[in-house]
Amino acid sequence: MLPPRKLKGLIWLPLLLVALSLACSLPTIGKPTATPPAPTPTASATPRPTPTPQPLPPAIVENDPPLGSELPLAGPITLYFNQPMDQASVEAAFRQQLAMSGTFTWIDDLTLVFYPDAPLQPASDFKVSLNNDVRAANGLGLLQPVSFNYRTVDYLRPVQLLPRSGAQDTDPTSAIVVAFNYPVVPLGADQAGLPAAFDLQPSAEGRGEWLNTSTYIFYPQPALDAGREYSLRLNPDLRGTDGSPLESLAEWSFSTREPRLESIEPGPDAGSLRLDPQFKLTFNQPMDPASLEANLRLLDSGGEA
């Protein structure tokens, strides 16, 4: 065990160490804290002048219709340039394959529209070109001639006929349908003001309507005559919404099936009959009750009614 004097010294030792630590962390009284030197200012860079943009040569950035699409027979063709143009030079340099007359309309200084004076021919090639005489408003010309090749829309023609041409044994209640390769009527148009797609001979009672812009359907009401040939002729005034005319006055025909007795009950092998029998006759199509009753006979074994 330590003597009392040494024990007392050990108690004061930690207190002395704490006091020394605090004294070292205190700022020196009366001596200002050193301030870090300010950075030496550098000479500002001399601003460079903004370069003057160089004028660019003219170019066509877009055309309508786009390449690869069909050209409507009435046009128009629209050219979009990258900058204001010298309009007179553009019109003078404008060439098209058929050398047909037309009208130039500038929507603005960058947009030219060409309208042909007469409808183009269906299913034909049409080329538009501009030579190096074209000038922009800044005086620069095209770097090289440009040209665009188009194909005009095809003739209007039926692509589906129901019943098909030459069909036999057609159900007299069947609807008659013709579908075209192009839209014929506007979307959402009033049915009352739309033309019929064809003429039916002999005529029949019924209702016709356009199912969509390119499909016409006729519903016979109540039905066509059985065992009869019908012919249909497309309306010669039909035009596609893009102006395409009918390729030809197409005609087709079909025949309706003959009425036929499918079954009778009781059948011929039924044996003896009741004295008050009922006969059930089933046909292959709806029948005219009056004509059936007028021509139905019940005969005895001697051929008497």
Side-chain angles (χ1 to χ4, degrees):
M1 185 172 184
L2 293 174
R5 181 172 294 183
K6 289 185 178 182
L7 180 61
K8 186 177 180 179
L10 291 174
I11 293 174
W12 284 100
L13 181 59
L15 295 176
L16 180 61
L17 292 176
V18 171
L20 290 174
S21 174
L22 292 174
C24 292
S25 64
L26 292 175
T28 304
I29 300 175
K31 186 178 181 180
T33 305
T35 303
T40 303
T42 58
S44 59
T46 303
R48 297 180 180 178
T50 303
T52 303
Q54 297 298 314
L56 297 175
I60 296 176
V61 295
E62 188 180 352
N63 53 294
D64 185 35
L67 295 181
S69 60
E70 291 184 318
L71 179 64
L73 301 185
I77 298 172
T78 305
L79 303 179
Y80 300 89
F81 294 88
N82 63 341
Q83 58 185 291
M85 301 299 295
D86 176 355
Q87 298 180 6
S89 70
V90 176
E91 295 178 14
F94 188 93
R95 300 286 184 273
Q96 33 85 19
Q97 180 180 357
L98 303 179
M100 64 188 304
S101 60
T103 303
F104 295 103
T105 300
W106 287 88
I107 304 302
D108 51 42
D109 291 339
L110 292 78
T111 310
L112 171 64
V113 184
F114 173 74
Y115 296 91
D117 286 341
L120 304 174
Q121 289 297 314
S124 61
D125 295 321
F126 190 77
K127 181 179 181 180
V128 173
S129 62
L130 293 173
N131 60 33
N132 286 0
D133 294 335
V134 170
R135 291 288 180 269
N138 62 16
L140 296 181
L142 286 174
L143 295 179
Q144 59 184 3
V146 294
S147 62
F148 307 99
N149 295 310
Y150 291 101
R151 181 76 175 174
T152 59
V153 295
D154 204 350
Y155 285 93
L156 181 67
R157 62 169 64 93
V159 294
Q160 185 179 29
L161 302 172
L162 294 175
R164 60 181 176 79
S165 182
Q168 304 289 327
D169 203 35
T170 300
D171 186 343
T173 63
S174 297
I176 303 172
V177 182
V178 56
F180 296 91
N181 58 333
Y182 289 123
V184 178
V185 297
L187 184 64
D190 182 9
Q191 292 283 343
L194 300 180
F198 54 77
D199 176 60
L200 179 65
Q201 292 296 329
S203 61
E205 296 294 328
R207 174 177 58 87
E209 65 177 352
W210 289 91
L211 286 181
N212 51 47
T213 59
S214 59
T215 305
Y216 183 81
I217 186 168
F218 176 79
Y219 302 96
Q221 295 174 343
L224 300 176
D225 293 339
R228 194 164 192 177
E229 182 178 64
Y230 286 87
S231 63
L232 297 97
R233 183 174 183 267
L234 290 179
N235 183 348
D237 296 328
L238 289 182
R239 293 287 186 277
T241 53
D242 52 17
S244 51
L246 279 172
E247 183 175 33
S248 61
L249 299 181
E251 297 186 20
W252 78 100
S253 61
F254 64 90
S255 298
T256 54
R257 68 175 57 137
E258 296 279 354
R260 182 175 61 251
L261 179 65
E262 297 283 353
S263 64
I264 182 171
E265 299 175 9
D269 301 327
S272 59
L273 301 176
R274 296 173 49 182
L275 297 180
D276 57 346
Q278 292 184 349
F279 294 95
K280 179 181 178 181
L281 287 73
T282 303
F283 294 84
N284 65 342
Q285 58 186 280
M287 302 297 292
D288 175 28
S291 66
L292 181 60
E293 294 172 10
N295 291 278
L296 181 63
R297 298 287 186 273
L298 182 63
L299 306 177
D300 62 15
S301 57
E304 297 295 331

